[in-house]
Amino acid sequence: MFRTALRNVLAHKGRLLMTVLAVMLGTAFVAGTLVFSDTFGNALRTQNSKSYTDIAVTVSDREAAGAAAFGHGSGNGSGAATGPTLTEETRTKVAALPGAADVRGVVSGFAGIADKKGALIGNGFSTTGTNYVPGADGTDPRYPLVEGRGPKNATEIALDTKTAVKGGYKVGDTVRVAVNGPVMQLKLTGTVHTNDPRVVAGGSLAAFDTATAQQLYLSPGRFAELDVKAKPGTDDTALLTAVKQAVPQGDFIEAKTGRELADEQDEMIRKGTTFLTTFLMAFAGIALFVGIFIIANTFTMLVAQRTKELALLRAVGATRRQITRSVLVEALLVGLTASVTGLLAGIGIAVGLKSLLNGPMDANLPDGPLIVAPTTVIAALAVGVLVTVLAAWLPARRASRIAPVAAMSSAEQPATQKGLRVRNIIGLLFSLVGVASLAAGVGGKEVKLVGLGAGALLIGVFVLTPLLSRPLITLISPLLRALYGAPGKLAKENAIRNPRRTAATASALTIGVTLITSLTVIGASVNQAVDRLTATDLKADYTIAMQNFSSLSPEIATQIAKAPGVSVVSAERSMSVGIGQNGEDSEWMTAVDAATIDQLATVKVTEGSADALKQGRLLVSSGRAKAAGYKVGDTLAVTYPDGVKGSLTVGGILEANTALASIVAPEAVVGPHAQPGSGLEKILVKGTNGATPELKQALRDASGGNPLIAVKGAKEIKAENRQMVTGILNMMYGLLGMSVVIAVLGVVNTMAMSVFERRREIGMLRAVGLDRLGIRRMVRLESLLIALFGGLVGVGLGILVAWAGVRTLADSLKGITTVVPPLQIAGYLLAAAVIGLLAAMWPAYRASKIDILDSIKSQ
């Protein structure tokens, strides 16, 4: 039977080609994902290990790191500490330990570098600022010089080479640099090399002398970290014990070995790459799921075409098990061939993806060897083979049930009515469960229930597609019959002749259309809701905030208020306060100017007083009040960031508002207790003459021309939100594209095999007068009907699932409604029609070339 299976594979190479391609594409997606993730993760881990090569022990001040990262104290050296700190005295004390060879004091934060036009170089999230620590030879081993020298005073700076090139800067040029305040004009004294992952990934590095870095990010003499290099032969664990005894003890002071830190970073990298792999594998799973329909359809048709052959095998003594095994071995050979090819293609995809990201997309991924792990090879081969064999199992079972008497006839064995009834009952049950789960999820705003309901409904509809195919195709077909006459009528009859085959072919396309339609409707709904909220919730003409979501310098608010054309200003400051007598719980609240906030944002309360802020009380959003159980009149015992205890009263319940935080407090009450030197989250501005280009430029000038500070009006905010949603959708569309390609292969495969199966019928049609053009038209229209059927079902399911998903967002996104963009939906249906026509071109051409006499004689 193995020889029989091998002979069948070799005899049907052309008919199995599309199946091989479908499995190959799915397997390539899996292999490419695993190879790229392993390669990327290994490169990051290698780069990470280099960062800790010379570090035996690191002592960190987590309070200082947080202050520098979020801009608390940036630009004015007022980063006051609430506990023990790492100072030059501490550094000297640690350096005197017997096992310590050198101790480096580190200061770091963010620093935006502007190009010569004033635009930010890189993105706002990886703009790194640090201190340059020269040794006896005047160079810093952590940042090797490429050209020039390191900075020596507050008027000088060094940049990494890539940033200097991007900005067009050379040694001796004046560089525009900023943290969270006005731009500083500094002289570029040198360029350096760095393996800092943030910089390698496309960020920028600005190196200051240590005193300047401390002034900008912390306070004079203070370090965020001490990196200890050990003397040869010193045990890191023993050195760690000695270091812990030498440094001040405090809640924020933490000491670890370099190996521990490297391991922690490796674990973070592992989790990040695992998430990436899981995300991409979900789409690979969709592609393989689509491939299952094609494989099952192909083997079903092959078995039907070989009815006489299989029945003869039964007649000469082959058992049912042997027939089943023969078909499964055939599937195994197909799956193995496709999997090996897919593995090689996946490796090529990973190489191409890395080149694309490092080339045109300028993602600056770290360098490293291509990793093709044994687990990747095993996974790719196992997935491809298992998917193929499992998809062929039902056709194999059907083949084993062919009675020997069937050898007397070459007719295809029709599906039994009992089998179709059972299938319809199962599909109906799944559909009912899906609809019930969707309804429950919508009513309870439960995303998980909506997801389960969507999955059950999709399965139910797929099972019911044979039942749905006849009425839907009949509904579509009159127009084709009116336009094309006999070919249109024949196309309709062929499409509904075998409902199972039509359903399997259309279902592959339905999956892609369903998902794409759902994403489109949800994206359009979110965009409309955000646009509406931006227009209604925000009254301010402009918002001013840091691009990397760090804090603005408090001095900026004063400068903004003095800018020409400004009529109303309110600065927003976020802070965490302890709740309870001992501050055991915590709440984030945002302080605003109580006198002006109602002119800059819509303040609408559902309970309590709209003037609560002016009365020195809190406004709490309805969502937060419900979650925490807050009511109007409740008094909260609070512990402020400066340690002072007090109480705050809930004065009103605020209707959900995108321009305001969940808990809003008056600046006059809570502002004096903020952490010394803490920055501002954003500034809201209203102009005397509204939003004008002159006002926007005045605000930029008042903020010191800082490239990290963004001045945005309503149009920019809307465009930014839309761009973010569109970017996510485009990425999803790209990943779903593989499943659509596989679905197209399925249509081609079905039509090609259907033409072969109906050779005699086509010959008879030619004999009674239907010309070659009519034959081609009949095949193309049949493919068009199948594709449109799949597209219509997919659009309907997609809109229903999207509606349920949008309803679950009602609480988190006020006023959201389901938006169905008609042009895009019509475009998807048109795309399905085009897919059907293109997929039928080759089968239609083959059908028109069939020899009339040979085909009539065929059995």
Side-chain angles (χ1 to χ4, degrees):
M1 297 308 292
F2 177 80
R3 288 196 298 271
T4 301
L6 182 60
R7 185 203 66 191
N8 286 329
V9 170
L10 296 175
H12 301 138
K13 295 188 292 292
R15 300 184 221 172
L16 291 170
L17 176 61
M18 296 301 170
T19 301
V20 171
L21 285 174
V23 179
M24 184 202 75
L25 289 175
T27 307
F29 205 148
V30 172
T33 294
L34 294 175
V35 171
F36 178 74
S37 299
D38 289 344
T39 300
F40 182 46
N42 179 73
L44 285 176
R45 286 189 293 273
T46 301
Q47 189 178 77
N48 177 58
S49 64
K50 290 179 181 178
S51 301
Y52 295 97
T53 301
D54 296 329
I55 300 177
V57 175
T58 289
V59 186
S60 58
D61 181 348
R62 288 182 284 114
E63 183 183 25
F70 292 101
H72 299 158
S74 296
N76 55 17
S78 57
T82 59
T85 61
L86 302 177
T87 63
E88 177 61 29
E89 181 183 354
T90 308
R91 193 195 71 79
T92 304
K93 187 176 180 180
V94 173
L97 294 174
D102 183 48
V103 180
R104 178 191 181 93
V106 178
V107 184
S108 62
F110 61 86
I113 313 298
D115 60 21
K116 293 187 177 181
K117 295 181 179 179
L120 179 68
I121 298 175
N123 59 64
F125 301 100
S126 52
T127 54
T128 305
T130 190
N131 60 319
Y132 189 85
V133 185
D137 61 352
T139 64
D140 186 341
R142 178 168 293 187
Y143 302 112
L145 281 170
V146 176
E147 187 179 1
R149 61 171 177 80
K152 295 182 179 180
N153 55 56
T155 64
E156 298 178 342
I157 191 174
L159 299 177
D160 68 282
T161 52
K162 288 185 178 179
T163 299
V165 171
K166 288 178 182 178
Y169 291 120
K170 298 179 181 178
V171 173
D173 287 351
T174 298
V175 180
R176 292 163 54 82
V177 188
V179 285
N180 68 342
V183 166
M184 299 175 287
Q185 305 280 349
L186 305 179
K187 181 182 178 181
L188 181 63
T189 61
T191 58
V192 301
H193 173 73
T194 177
N195 59 6
D196 187 319
R198 294 169 296 180
V199 181
V200 173
S204 60
L205 176 73
F208 308 93
D209 70 286
T210 297
T212 301
Q214 289 173 331
Q215 180 69 24
L216 288 172
Y217 299 121
L218 297 170
S219 56
R222 185 180 178 190
F223 295 108
E225 184 179 296
L226 297 178
D227 293 337
V228 185
K229 184 178 180 179
K231 291 180 179 178
T234 302
D235 180 70
D236 290 355
T237 305
L239 182 58
L240 174 64
T241 302
V243 168
K244 285 183 176 179
Q245 295 174 351
V247 300
Q249 306 300 306
D251 293 337
F252 296 108
I253 305 297
E254 185 177 45
K256 293 183 178 181
T257 64
R259 185 66 264 163
E260 288 176 324
L261 289 174
D263 289 343
E264 288 178 3
Q265 291 294 319
D266 284 349
E267 179 62 17
M268 290 177 63
I269 292 169
R270 187 193 65 78
K271 288 181 179 178
T273 53
T274 299
F275 173 79
L276 174 65
T277 303
T278 303
F279 177 75
L280 293 176
M281 289 294 278
F283 291 91
I286 293 171
L288 287 168
F289 183 62
V290 171
I292 287 174
F293 289 94
I294 299 173
I295 299 164
N297 212 17
T298 300
F299 279 93
T300 297
M301 295 177 73
L302 284 174
V303 167
Q305 292 170 11
R306 285 159 44 199
T307 297
K308 189 172 183 178
E309 174 191 333
L310 295 172
L312 283 172
L313 287 172
R314 288 294 315 282
V316 298
T319 65
R320 287 186 173 183
R321 179 174 296 180
Q322 286 177 315
I323 295 295
T324 302
R325 191 180 302 157
S326 171
V327 177
L328 291 179
V329 168
E330 189 175 341
L332 175 65
L333 293 173
V334 170
L336 189 60
T337 302
S339 298
V340 172
T341 311
L343 174 63
L344 297 176
I347 295 172
I349 289 172
V351 173
L353 182 59
K354 185 178 178 182
S355 299
L356 175 66
L357 291 173
N358 275 336
M361 298 184 70
D362 196 26
N364 293 297
L365 298 183
D367 292 328
L370 189 71
I371 304 297
V372 184
T375 52
T376 298
V377 177
I378 294 171
L381 296 179
V383 166
V385 170
L386 283 175
V387 165
T388 309
V389 172
L390 287 175
W393 181 70
L394 282 176
R397 287 197 63 196
R398 286 197 205 103
S400 69
R401 292 176 180 175
I402 296 175
V405 72
M408 303 299 295
S409 170
S410 61
E412 180 181 342
Q413 302 297 301
T416 64
Q417 291 300 314
K418 180 182 176 181
L420 288 175
R421 282 198 300 270
V422 171
R423 177 171 180 157
N424 291 341
I425 291 171
I426 294 173
L428 185 61
L429 288 175
F430 267 102
S431 298
L432 290 174
V433 170
V435 171
S437 183
L438 281 179
V442 169
K445 304 295 189 297
E446 290 289 341
V447 177
K448 290 183 179 179
L449 281 177
V450 168
L452 289 173
L457 184 59
L458 284 171
I459 293 173
V461 171
F462 292 156
V463 176
L464 286 173
T465 41
L467 180 65
L468 298 173
S469 62
R470 182 179 292 272
L472 284 177
I473 289 177
T474 302
L475 182 67
I476 303 169
S477 58
L479 178 61
L480 299 182
R481 183 176 178 181
L483 292 175
Y484 300 107
K489 180 180 179 181
L490 290 169
K492 176 247 183 178
E493 295 299 328
N494 289 334
I496 64 176
R497 175 188 300 181
N498 191 325
R500 285 184 172 177
R501 180 187 304 169
T502 297
T505 306
S507 293
L509 187 59
T510 296
I511 296 170
V513 176
T514 298
L515 295 174
I516 289 173
T517 300
S518 296
L519 290 173
T520 300
V521 173
I522 290 174
S525 303
V526 170
N527 275 334
Q528 186 193 71
V530 173
D531 284 353
R532 186 187 299 121
L533 292 175
T534 301
T536 57
D537 290 351
L538 186 67
K539 294 181 181 180
D541 294 320
Y542 291 102
T543 64
I544 301 169
M546 297 290 286
Q547 293 192 54
N548 58 357
F549 298 108
S550 57
S551 299
L552 284 162
S553 173
E555 289 79 7
I556 294 291
T558 304
Q559 295 167 358
I560 292 294
K562 296 177 181 178
V566 173
S567 62
V568 183
V569 173
S570 179
E572 295 188 3
R573 183 202 309 269
S574 294
M575 67 174 69
S576 177
V577 300
I579 302 294
Q581 294 300 324
N582 299 315
E584 57 272 15
D585 297 319
S586 63
E587 283 279 15
W588 276 97
M589 56 182 58
T590 299
V592 300
D593 186 339
T596 61
I597 189 61
D598 58 348
Q599 300 177 57
L600 298 162
T602 301
V603 181
K604 185 177 180 180
V605 299
T606 56
E607 297 178 49
S609 172
D611 293 328
L613 293 175
K614 295 176 182 177
Q615 297 164 2
R617 296 186 291 173
L618 300 177
L619 285 178
V620 182
S621 70
S622 55
R624 185 61 197 145
K626 180 180 179 181
Y630 295 145
K631 297 180 178 63
V632 175
D634 286 354
T635 299
L636 311 178
V638 299
T639 303
Y640 292 108
D642 62 357
V644 175
K645 294 183 179 296
S647 63
L648 292 170
T649 303
V650 177
I653 304 301
L654 183 68
E655 186 179 275
N657 189 308
T658 56
L660 296 173
S662 57
I663 299 181
V664 185
E667 169 70 19
V669 175
V670 302
H673 303 293
Q675 182 181 1
S678 64
L680 307 174
E681 183 178 352
K682 63 182 176 182
I683 302 171
L684 303 180
V685 179
K686 197 170 186 64
T688 306
N689 300 315
T692 64
E694 293 76 17
L695 175 60
K696 188 173 185 179
Q697 186 58 50
L699 296 176
R700 285 175 174 165
D701 294 340
S703 61
N706 189 329
L708 274 170
I709 297 178
V711 180
K712 299 175 185 176
K715 288 183 179 180
E716 287 93 344
I717 295 173
K718 288 180 181 179
E720 189 177 74
N721 292 330
R722 281 185 171 272
Q723 186 177 12
M724 180 176 63
V725 174
T726 302
I728 294 173
L729 290 179
N730 287 340
M731 179 180 64
M732 297 288 194
Y733 292 154
L735 293 171
L736 288 172
M738 185 69 74
S739 64
V740 176
V741 170
I742 293 175
V744 173
L745 293 177
V747 178
V748 175
N749 203 26
T750 298
M751 297 310 302
M753 297 186 73
S754 179
V755 165
F756 179 84
E757 186 180 88
R758 303 202 307 261
R759 290 179 75 246
R760 187 174 187 183
E761 175 188 321
I762 292 171
M764 293 294 294
L765 290 172
R766 289 292 315 281
V768 298
L770 190 62
D771 60 11
R772 290 184 174 182
L773 176 61
I775 294 294
R776 287 198 297 270
R777 185 171 290 167
M778 177 188 72
V779 175
R780 287 198 296 263
L781 292 178
E782 180 185 350
S783 178
L784 172 65
L785 286 171
I786 293 174
L788 278 177
F789 167 59
L792 283 171
V793 174
V795 165
L797 278 175
I799 292 174
L800 178 60
V801 171
W803 170 81
V806 167
R807 296 312 305 154
T808 63
L809 299 174
D811 286 343
S812 55
L813 200 55
K814 183 181 68 174
I816 187 171
T817 57
T818 304
V819 177
V820 181
L823 291 179
Q824 285 180 272
I825 299 301
Y828 297 150
L829 291 175
L830 178 62
V834 172
I835 285 172
L837 291 174
L838 292 178
M841 289 182 66
W842 176 58
Y845 174 78
R846 286 190 59 195
S848 68
K849 294 296 182 181
I850 289 177
D851 183 87
I852 298 175
L853 295 179
D854 287 345
S855 61
I856 291 176
K857 289 189 297 181
S858 64
Q859 297 293 325

